[in-house]
Amino acid sequence: MRTSPQKGLSPFLLRQMNRPAAVAALAFAAGIAVSGFCRHYSFGLLAAAAALLLWAAALALRRGRAGCALAAALGAVFLTGGLMALAHRDGIPDTDVRRRIERREFPLGEPVPFDGCVVDESIRRGDEISATVAFLSFRRGERRLECRGGGTLRIAIPTRPDAAEAAEPLGRGDRIRAWAVWQTPRNYENPGSADRAGALARRGIAVTGKVKSVRLLERIPGGCADPWTRMAGAAGAHVRRSFERLRAQGKDQQSAILASLVVGDYSGLGNATREVFQSTGTYHVLVVSGLHVAWLAAVLLRLCRFVRIPERVRYPLAAVLILFYTCVVGFQASITRCLWMFLLYLAGRSLFRRADPVNILAAAALLLLAARPVWLMDTGFQLSFLAVMAIALTALPAVRRYLNPVWDPLAHAGRERLFLRPGRWHRLGRRLRTECEMLVEASAERRPPRLARLLLWGCRGTGRAGFAATAMILTTLSVQLWMEPLLAMNFNRIGWIAPLANLVIVPLSSAVLAAGI
């Protein structure tokens, strides 16, 4: 008699099998974290161990030992995560700028002629333009050497007004040739200061450079861009030009906040504005994230449904739009997480599967960590996933258990829908609805019927508004409880006013986002 594959598993593990991506993502992330302590290892032996564990898992599953199969499979995933992280950390090609620096082929502290591509929109700060560059080559004496890797470049703007106006910003996909002085990033020596060098390394940036004058730089617009990048860059440039009208009217702060909300351009935000949003726990509205993706997807799907576009066309069209928007704002951790979650959700819908938010979030994390293992240590990546995890594991269950039973009956006051489920919160919801309907009936005997219908509509609106307000407060509290330890450790701040501030600013930011787009 063949043994059931699930025999031998504990009830907890049986529940987790409904979220296989979550278990795999945790094992993969643990492997990445442990790999940071590995300095001496054999890559071949670790790869062989992972293959043996996979073979053992398949053999145990064939014999009906599901517990052993799961343990072996998770061990293989753990080793795979460590191998991916080690390959990303130590598998640097010989042409990489870091290898060139180790062999003293790439000089530091002296002018170096180089050729590269701008990988992100440049930012103008005071009398400098800052951009991120991907190296193509550099010249050492009479030789031109191939080079790979990234660096940040600061370009000095002339002080003369006529020359400063002529200093055009660099766009994504531009090719540049220039003379620059390069240095390796260093951290500040103040106790508790941020790991700037580590943050740049996680972005693939190995050196920082400076061009003393725009005359030492040659720009070839779109020299490195493909058609898709050109289209996305043109769309982003058009949006930024439209914000210049506000700046021309003296509304610098409004223009900076709108640019941050719509296209994730944070260059115009002043320190005072950043401090206000950070202190009140509402800085997340300035970061392009799930709010933007959800709003764009909802609008497009409703428009497609209104014009009766078939569902098999509707969802791929929304996916293309989200992908294009991601290209416009740049592949940051938060927007990339939302992109993959939306694509996985669409894939599940096409396979007629129920969308579990935790499983989708874990699958997105697994894909992103497989591509960039160093993101696991990035604070932005951690906060982005932790916030969604707090909503999925804490806020949503609490909303379903406590808020829906209380406010749903009131939102359907005067209708034939019945709510008969047992429980304290369900009884409270039925009592609110009954008292509201009795109040409306009593007023209908003394006042015109139109006023009674208006009161009934007000009761329903109160139910919907009460649900929205309490759900927002509960969601913000859940996110704060999950994120406060990480915020306190990395940024030395705790903002308990965030639930009340988010209750006001999230709906307003959604309206501003809609108007801005």
Side-chain angles (χ1 to χ4, degrees):
M1 184 175 179
R2 193 175 181 86
T3 309
S4 172
Q6 294 183 355
K7 187 175 180 181
L9 290 177
S10 66
F12 174 76
L13 290 178
L14 283 173
R15 288 194 301 270
Q16 300 311 310
M17 287 180 67
N18 295 324
R19 295 169 174 171
V23 181
L26 285 175
F28 195 86
I32 294 174
V34 172
S35 70
F37 301 98
C38 296
R39 291 293 176 265
H40 305 284
Y41 60 91
S42 172
F43 195 90
L45 288 178
L46 290 176
L52 285 175
L53 283 173
L54 279 177
W55 177 77
L59 187 62
L61 190 62
R62 254 184 102 179
R63 296 185 177 181
R65 299 186 177 182
C68 295
L70 181 61
L74 290 179
V77 174
F78 173 84
L79 286 178
T80 303
L83 287 170
M84 295 287 287
L86 291 172
H88 190 274
R89 186 189 72 188
D90 300 332
I92 303 174
D94 291 336
T95 57
D96 192 275
V97 65
R98 289 169 288 182
R99 291 285 188 237
R100 298 283 192 189
I101 292 173
E102 289 175 3
R103 297 195 298 266
R104 300 183 182 277
E105 296 174 351
F106 189 94
L108 300 176
E110 61 183 73
V112 178
F114 74 96
D115 190 357
C117 297
V118 180
V119 298
D120 209 347
E121 298 293 334
S122 62
I123 299 173
R124 184 165 181 170
R125 294 193 178 111
D127 58 350
E128 288 184 341
I129 294 176
S130 177
T132 305
V133 177
F135 290 106
L136 295 176
S137 63
F138 70 97
R139 201 168 72 231
R140 183 73 185 272
E142 298 298 326
R143 293 186 304 160
R144 181 165 291 278
L145 302 176
E146 182 184 359
C147 190
R148 292 293 180 266
T152 58
L153 187 66
R154 294 179 295 123
I155 306 162
I157 300 175
T159 55
R160 291 185 296 110
D162 55 341
E165 291 294 331
E168 297 183 3
L170 303 176
R172 187 185 310 161
D174 289 351
R175 185 166 181 169
I176 59 173
R177 297 187 181 99
W179 287 73
V181 178
W182 299 96
Q183 298 288 349
T184 54
R186 294 182 179 181
N187 289 329
Y188 295 108
E189 298 298 331
N190 298 331
S193 60
D195 183 12
R196 174 174 170 265
L200 291 175
R202 287 189 288 271
R203 291 171 50 197
I205 295 173
V207 289
T208 60
K210 184 173 182 178
V211 177
K212 293 184 178 180
S213 172
V214 292
R215 297 177 181 176
L216 300 175
L217 183 141
E218 178 188 358
R219 170 174 172 259
I220 305 174
C224 299
D226 52 63
W228 181 266
T229 305
R230 289 193 189 97
M231 192 185 306
H238 173 73
V239 173
R240 290 179 179 88
R241 282 195 301 271
S242 66
F243 295 147
E244 292 296 330
R245 303 171 189 170
L246 286 175
R247 198 170 281 116
Q249 298 172 8
K251 300 178 180 179
D252 293 341
Q253 186 178 19
Q254 291 89 331
S255 174
I257 293 175
L258 194 59
S260 176
L261 273 170
V262 177
V263 291
D265 183 0
Y266 316 115
S267 59
L269 291 175
N271 292 331
T273 304
R274 293 174 185 266
E275 185 68 25
V276 168
F277 279 91
Q278 289 173 352
S279 300
T280 55
T282 55
Y283 193 77
H284 63 91
V285 302
L286 299 179
V287 179
V288 177
S289 59
L291 175 67
H292 302 69
V293 173
W295 193 89
L296 287 172
V299 169
L300 184 65
L301 291 175
R302 286 183 178 274
L303 287 176
C304 292
R305 192 180 298 116
F306 179 74
V307 298
R308 298 183 179 180
I309 295 178
E311 186 172 352
R312 63 179 179 274
V313 179
R314 190 187 309 161
Y315 287 103
L317 186 62
V320 172
L321 174 69
I322 299 303
L323 178 60
F324 181 74
Y325 181 69
T326 305
C327 292
V328 171
V329 302
F331 287 85
Q332 307 165 25
S334 57
I335 190 67
T336 307
R337 181 256 306 165
C338 299
L339 171 66
W340 277 108
M341 286 188 67
F342 188 70
L343 293 178
L344 291 170
Y345 169 77
L346 295 183
R349 286 295 300 265
S350 64
L351 297 174
F352 304 101
R353 298 292 184 181
R354 181 178 62 87
D356 183 86
V358 176
N359 203 49
I360 290 178
L361 180 66
L366 187 60
L367 290 171
L368 292 177
L369 290 177
R372 296 288 299 274
V374 292
W375 272 0
L376 181 65
M377 304 304 171
D378 185 75
T379 305
F381 181 88
Q382 296 169 2
L383 291 174
S384 177
F385 277 90
L386 198 63
V388 183
M389 194 68 73
I391 295 172
L393 291 180
T394 305
L396 285 181
V399 167
R400 294 192 190 103
R401 183 173 181 179
Y402 302 112
L403 300 186
N404 279 335
V406 172
W407 296 109
D408 271 1
L410 186 59
H412 293 83
R415 296 173 180 165
E416 295 182 356
R417 183 174 175 181
L418 299 178
F419 295 85
L420 303 175
R421 297 183 64 180
R424 178 192 306 173
W425 301 99
H426 290 278
R427 289 195 299 270
L428 178 59
R430 288 194 295 269
R431 186 182 307 167
L432 284 175
R433 175 180 176 175
T434 301
E435 292 181 357
C436 177
E437 291 175 341
M438 292 177 61
L439 177 64
V440 171
E441 289 180 4
S443 64
E445 297 177 356
R446 304 188 301 270
R447 292 178 176 83
R450 182 178 299 177
L451 182 60
R453 289 195 298 270
L454 186 62
L455 287 175
L456 196 59
W457 178 85
C459 291
R460 294 171 187 165
T462 301
R464 289 190 290 268
F467 173 78
T470 52
M472 181 73 68
I473 293 175
L474 183 60
T475 300
T476 308
L477 281 174
S478 302
V479 172
Q480 287 293 116
L481 289 174
W482 280 60
M483 294 175 59
E484 283 303 338
L486 191 61
L487 291 172
M489 182 176 66
N490 289 282
F491 304 109
N492 300 319
R493 65 173 70 243
I494 295 178
W496 292 109
I497 198 175
L500 294 178
N502 279 277
L503 185 63
V504 177
I505 201 168
V506 169
L508 290 178
S509 64
S510 301
V512 171
L513 174 63
I517 291 178

